[in-house]
Amino acid sequence: MASHPAGARRDRAVRAAVEQGLLSPADPDRQIVALLDTEGVRASAAALVAAFAAVTDAPVLHAFAVKACPLVPVLRLLDACGLGVEVASPGELALARAAGLPPSRTVLDSPAKTPADLRQALALGIAVNADNLQELTRLDALVASAPTASPLGIRVNPQVGAGSIGALSTATATSKFGVALRDEGARDTLVRAYLDRPWLTRLHTHTGSQGVPLALMAEGVAAAYELAEEINAKAGRQQIDTLDIGGGLPVNFASDEETPTYEEYAGLLAETVPGLLDGRYGLVTEFGRSLLAKHGTILARVEYTKTSGSRPVAVTHAGVQVATRTVYDPASWPLRVLAYDAEGRPRTGEDVVQDVAGPACFAGDLLATALPLPLLRPDDVVAVPDTGAYYFAHHYAYNSLPRPAVHGFTLADDDGGVAFSTARRAQSLDEIVAEAGGDRADALLG
């Protein structure tokens, strides 16, 4: 059994998933399944709220980045924890509304909002952060045409630099996001944009996520704070009353330890940008991965085992369809793989260096290469932890592999039982055919 509390909870859930038939060699639709520790999610949400409450008395909206886990039951769970949502597309907004999130706790960010997107948001009273000056011109027309309760602001790119994963670093010199703060003349243009528009009351920034160190995140927040102070001073009043500081807390994928913590980040902000937290500014955060990643686990059956080049290979039912980032960029997105026997008990024995492969028909579909594990056998179960964000909820339909079911779980401490609830059922073959134009088989024959 795992010694870390999170690992012990996972071990119990894996055993129960096998015992209750969520994963079954006899059922072709139950070769892979995703589990979400709902108590763990609640604990992370509570830790986030407590961390910022400890450093500021100002109102704080913690808006979960829907992109991290776009499942309606997950959004409903976080809503019950007091969190809002940050959406970046009409689809994400539809999910948030289906989960019952009120406009007052919804923030719309996107670099490509259409006039229809903006019109809907302003009609609902949803907060909007304009990504660029052309979008601001669209807002000018909409604000002039009809009253709105939407808090409005501009996203700035503080251009403070990149972390270790370039694709997730959003405050580089040439980032696609926001108004570049250090470009020639940009700062003066931004200040004038606010002074000319008394209804602009927010300022937004986001430095990046995985691979971005906390110090760089805090530096980006400090740049936005300094701009807000400048605008308010020149306006002669507190025109900007809220700073949206984004999210981006990195996740530790190497063990069950949750590090860094929200408490560490909030404490760093208190040291780096004390004026931000003195009560004059409301705050919005947009954390995603750090709320969900550690609480999700993918389980998959081992179908076959073989040897290639003298190295054992276990062929499983989890691969690129659920772990796309890891398969295509394993250096940036390494995942742990844990071994369980066919009954869901942690497999024991001497570690053997082996590959853990997925079911897709291309050579790179590997969850792990040359990984030391107790030797896997057919019908064993592999568990891939830390996959609650950007993994099982973001299906990649390679080889028309179906989306797995997602089940939340809770533990009954009195009797050792595990209760599961289905957040998303497994995709059926009929649904795959329907998505592939199955009702239009003759469409191209005319």
Side-chain angles (χ1 to χ4, degrees):
M1 293 286 288
S3 58
H4 191 280
R9 292 171 65 85
R10 180 177 57 243
D11 285 350
R12 288 173 59 182
V14 173
R15 181 71 180 271
V18 173
E19 291 176 345
Q20 297 182 34
L22 301 185
L23 196 71
S24 171
D27 188 336
D29 295 327
R30 298 189 177 192
Q31 307 303 301
I32 178 172
V33 69
L35 305 181
L36 190 65
D37 183 348
T38 56
E39 290 304 314
V41 174
R42 289 188 178 95
S44 285
L48 171 59
V49 172
F52 278 81
V55 296
T56 182
D57 294 327
V60 183
L61 170 64
H62 296 292
F64 171 70
V66 173
K67 65 181 74 67
C69 192
L71 297 176
V72 171
V74 168
L75 305 185
R76 192 63 171 267
L77 172 62
L78 292 171
D79 174 46
C81 296
L83 273 57
V85 287
E86 182 266 341
V87 300
S89 71
E92 288 184 356
L93 177 56
L95 295 177
R97 297 187 73 188
L101 270 296
S104 61
R105 289 197 285 131
T106 303
V107 179
L108 173 63
D109 296 319
S110 165
K113 305 181 201 71
T114 67
D117 296 337
L118 294 171
R119 193 175 300 112
Q120 180 188 28
L122 268 59
L124 291 171
I126 290 170
V128 176
N129 291 311
D131 181 78
N132 55 72
L133 298 177
Q134 292 178 2
E135 183 179 338
L136 187 59
T137 300
R138 289 181 175 178
L139 286 174
D140 285 337
L142 291 170
V143 168
S145 67
T148 179
S150 293
L152 303 174
I154 300 175
R155 176 171 181 169
V156 297
N157 170 13
Q159 295 176 296
V160 293
S164 61
I165 303 176
L168 271 66
S169 299
T170 56
T172 61
T174 57
S175 173
K176 71 182 236 183
F177 291 103
V179 178
L181 187 54
R182 297 182 181 179
D183 281 11
E184 185 177 357
R187 192 180 191 94
D188 290 342
T189 299
L190 277 166
V191 172
R192 176 48 53 190
Y194 274 86
L195 297 180
D196 289 345
R197 298 168 177 83
W199 42 266
L200 282 176
T201 60
R202 290 190 172 187
L203 192 61
H204 176 219
T205 193
H206 176 69
T207 300
S209 54
Q210 195 68 19
V212 175
L214 298 191
L216 191 64
M217 292 167 56
E219 185 180 346
V221 172
Y225 166 76
E226 290 164 4
L227 177 61
E229 291 282 272
E230 179 180 347
I231 291 169
N232 287 343
K234 291 183 176 178
R237 64 187 181 89
Q238 183 148 1
Q239 177 174 338
I240 297 178
D241 58 25
T242 301
L243 269 77
D244 184 333
I245 63 172
L249 194 75
V251 167
N252 165 35
F253 286 95
S255 74
D256 284 325
E257 295 296 328
E258 293 191 44
T259 180
T261 65
Y262 295 120
E263 183 180 18
E264 290 170 334
Y265 182 47
L268 179 61
L269 289 176
E271 295 175 4
T272 308
V273 204
L276 175 69
L277 305 171
D278 64 11
R280 291 176 296 132
Y281 291 98
L283 295 181
V284 177
T285 72
E286 299 176 354
F287 296 101
R289 179 182 290 105
S290 55
L291 282 163
L292 267 293
K294 302 298 290 184
H295 310 303
T297 303
I298 295 168
L299 306 182
R301 282 188 56 252
V302 176
E303 191 67 49
Y304 298 108
T305 57
K306 56 186 177 181
T307 300
S308 184
S310 300
R311 189 157 71 202
V313 180
V315 180
T316 80
H317 288 274
V320 71
Q321 84 276 30
V322 288
T324 314
R325 289 181 174 184
T326 293
V327 168
Y328 284 122
D329 188 6
S332 297
W333 299 102
L335 285 171
R336 293 180 289 153
V337 179
L338 309 176
Y340 294 80
D341 66 19
E343 295 181 355
R345 298 171 301 195
R347 181 160 282 296
T348 58
E350 183 180 351
D351 281 353
V352 176
V353 173
Q354 56 197 296
D355 292 350
V356 182
C361 287
F362 73 98
D365 187 28
L366 296 163
L367 288 176
T369 303
L371 182 69
L373 281 175
L375 188 63
L376 291 164
R377 305 168 186 171
D379 289 335
D380 275 359
V381 176
V382 295
V384 190
D386 309 329
T387 48
Y390 296 105
Y391 279 93
F392 54 66
H394 295 71
H395 190 72
Y396 178 47
Y398 200 101
N399 283 151
S400 296
L401 293 165
R403 287 188 293 271
V406 178
H407 302 283
F409 71 86
T410 56
L411 306 185
D413 291 331
D414 53 349
D415 62 3
V418 180
F420 293 100
S421 56
T422 303
R424 183 187 71 190
R425 59 182 176 77
Q427 186 182 29
S428 70
L429 296 182
D430 286 343
E431 288 169 328
I432 292 175
V433 172
E435 286 187 3
D439 61 340
R440 299 171 179 268
D442 295 332
L444 303 181
L445 299 180

